[in-house]
Amino acid sequence: MSLTGIPFLCTLAVLAALALALPLALWTRVGGPRAVRAATRVLMLFFAQVTAVALVFTLVNNSNQLYDSWSDLLGTGDHVREAADLGSDGTGGVAVERLPKVAQTFTPAGGPGMRAAGGVRVTRLDGRVSGVRAEVYVWLPPQYDEPAWRDHAFPVVQLLPGYPGSAKAWFGTLDVHEQLFPLMRSGRIAPFILVAARTSLLPGADTGCANLPGRVNAESWLSVDVPRMVRDNFRAQAAPDGWAVAGYSAGGHCATKLALAHPDRYRAAVSLSGYNDPAAERTALTGRDPVLREAHNPLRLLREAVAPPKVSLYLSGQRGDGHEDATALARAATPPTSVQVVRLPRSAGGHTMALWRPQVIPSFRWLTEELGAQPVPSGATPPGPRNAAATPGAPASGTAGPTAG
């Protein structure tokens, strides 16, 4: 049974109820020697404790989308085929734009909330540059399939979860598509393509969204392979002007770092309760080594950039949970880098989904302005000149199925 499936949850609920009923029904009826009676009663209590803890864990996991599968929970999953040294730009000398287009096969994604607001689709992507093989979830705005918009290219926002965290968390827990769907349809927020790729790539460790030769090329997976797949299969705007990245917690750290490291790939980033020092996440591979710790600190990237990157940052957090790091970035920024810091009150909640869910709409309003994406009601004529060049081409020979774009 799936870790996040309804059958497993119902099974645990039945077992927990049975574990509670057994002591009530059999406590005084247990026979045999005193040692046997004592051992039997201890086992009944142990069974009740285990089932109760398992049920609570499953409810919390389903609510926060921490672990997506048994392999994620047990630390047995490995999504890295190879991890070659790809150099400073993360391409390994590959001319990414010259690679043949590959049409992906997409299927409806399963899980809580994944069928709402038009539905989320999922594909299994073989990263041609990074050597990563993992799932990618895509949601299309309401205007995407309308005849008037058939030649229009849409801006893209990549969504990154925290650690541990499932790529589905933005859809299944933060309800990003359900929150934005009516606002996009009414023309209050620009229609964005939303993309969430797996970030938990190694067993029991946070990659820090970094390229670590010999271990993982997470940075190239997120900033090279996934964007290329999106452009191959959907009418997506060109980078960097039409691209942004957003994340919460560890995902916020990654979003800021990716945007500052690659202003040629992203124009904006949103970080909800993110941090600068990779060691803030104790399992982060980039936080264990002093050299990596410095190299993957967004504040250091900003301070030591040859020229200020043309990137806009939206950084929110509470005191002691992201606000100080956001303020440090704002102080270090000089034009054309811009930083908007949003201080959240203590009354807003702690480091949880309940804190980040209400920030979805304000951050996407900001993205609409920063990317210059014009909000237009569904059914209206798209703004500006149409971009026929963004239409996906024919699938390359030997690829998997027709495009879903």
Side-chain angles (χ1 to χ4, degrees):
M1 287 185 285
S2 168
L3 175 64
T4 57
I6 296 299
F8 180 65
L9 180 63
C10 292
T11 300
L12 283 180
V14 171
L15 290 176
L18 179 61
L20 180 62
L22 282 177
L24 295 175
L26 303 177
W27 192 266
T28 59
R29 299 183 183 183
V30 176
R34 178 178 297 179
V36 173
R37 295 199 305 271
T40 302
R41 289 166 178 164
V42 168
L43 285 175
M44 287 193 292
L45 293 176
F46 179 74
F47 180 49
Q49 291 289 326
V50 169
T51 54
V53 169
L55 179 59
V56 171
F57 167 81
T58 302
L59 289 170
V60 171
N61 183 61
N62 289 356
S63 176
N64 293 278
Q65 298 283 311
L66 301 175
Y67 300 98
D68 198 29
S69 64
W70 289 106
S71 61
D72 288 342
L73 175 63
L74 300 175
T76 58
D78 191 340
H79 300 269
V80 179
R81 292 184 287 104
E82 59 180 348
D85 188 343
L86 300 178
S88 59
D89 69 346
T91 65
V94 176
V96 179
E97 295 304 321
R98 295 182 182 179
L99 291 174
K101 291 185 176 181
V102 176
Q104 292 290 126
T105 298
F106 289 83
T107 58
M114 303 299 278
R115 302 295 177 89
V120 179
R121 60 194 71 191
V122 62
T123 189
R124 188 81 170 177
L125 175 63
D126 277 303
R128 289 181 282 177
V129 175
S130 66
V132 171
R133 185 175 190 268
E135 66 272 19
V136 182
Y137 297 87
V138 177
W139 180 81
L140 301 176
Q143 290 90 339
Y144 191 88
D145 290 322
E146 293 182 359
W149 294 70
R150 65 180 179 272
D151 296 321
H152 185 75
F154 291 80
V156 180
V157 181
Q158 287 183 247
L159 306 173
L160 309 179
Y163 183 85
S166 165
K168 297 193 294 185
W170 273 88
F171 301 108
T173 306
L174 294 185
D175 306 322
V176 59
H177 57 318
E178 293 187 68
Q179 292 195 61
L180 297 180
F181 182 82
L183 300 178
M184 290 182 183
R185 188 169 54 184
S186 63
R188 286 176 284 174
I189 284 180
F192 291 98
I193 296 174
L194 306 182
V195 181
R198 169 179 280 274
T199 56
S200 297
L201 303 175
L202 294 176
D206 174 22
T207 66
C209 301
N211 280 1
L212 305 173
R215 298 204 66 178
V216 64
N217 285 321
E219 187 169 334
S220 295
W221 160 249
L222 293 170
S223 68
V224 178
D225 284 329
V226 172
R228 178 57 200 263
M229 181 277 290
V230 174
R231 291 193 296 270
D232 280 356
N233 290 271
F234 301 97
R235 301 193 307 277
Q237 288 185 9
D241 290 340
W243 284 73
V245 57
Y248 60 86
S249 190
H253 163 77
C254 287
T256 305
K257 189 191 76 170
L258 289 175
L260 292 174
H262 301 290
D264 58 328
R265 301 172 191 174
Y266 301 103
R267 181 61 67 229
V270 171
S271 173
L272 310 179
S273 302
Y275 48 83
N276 293 330
D277 186 353
E281 169 51 58
R282 62 181 181 83
T283 65
L285 299 177
T286 51
R288 299 176 184 176
D289 179 272
V291 175
L292 292 176
R293 186 174 175 180
E294 285 296 312
H296 295 278
N297 186 317
L299 182 58
R300 179 183 176 276
L301 290 174
L302 182 58
R303 285 174 173 171
E304 299 187 3
V306 175
K310 187 179 179 182
V311 168
S312 299
L313 305 178
Y314 178 100
L315 312 172
S316 72
Q318 298 173 312
R319 279 192 172 179
D321 186 23
H323 177 68
E324 291 80 4
D325 287 6
T327 302
L329 286 167
R331 289 172 178 168
T334 56
T337 306
S338 67
V339 180
Q340 178 167 334
V341 177
V342 178
R343 179 182 166 187
L344 302 175
R346 285 291 183 185
S347 58
H351 197 81
T352 65
M353 295 293 190
L355 175 68
W356 303 317
R357 188 179 295 108
Q359 297 180 65
V360 167
I361 291 176
S363 61
F364 271 83
R365 283 178 176 153
W366 177 86
L367 284 171
T368 296
E369 296 176 359
E370 289 300 317
L371 294 184
Q374 299 181 40
V376 180
S378 180
T381 302
R386 296 183 177 184
N387 188 349
T391 304
S397 176
T399 58
T403 178

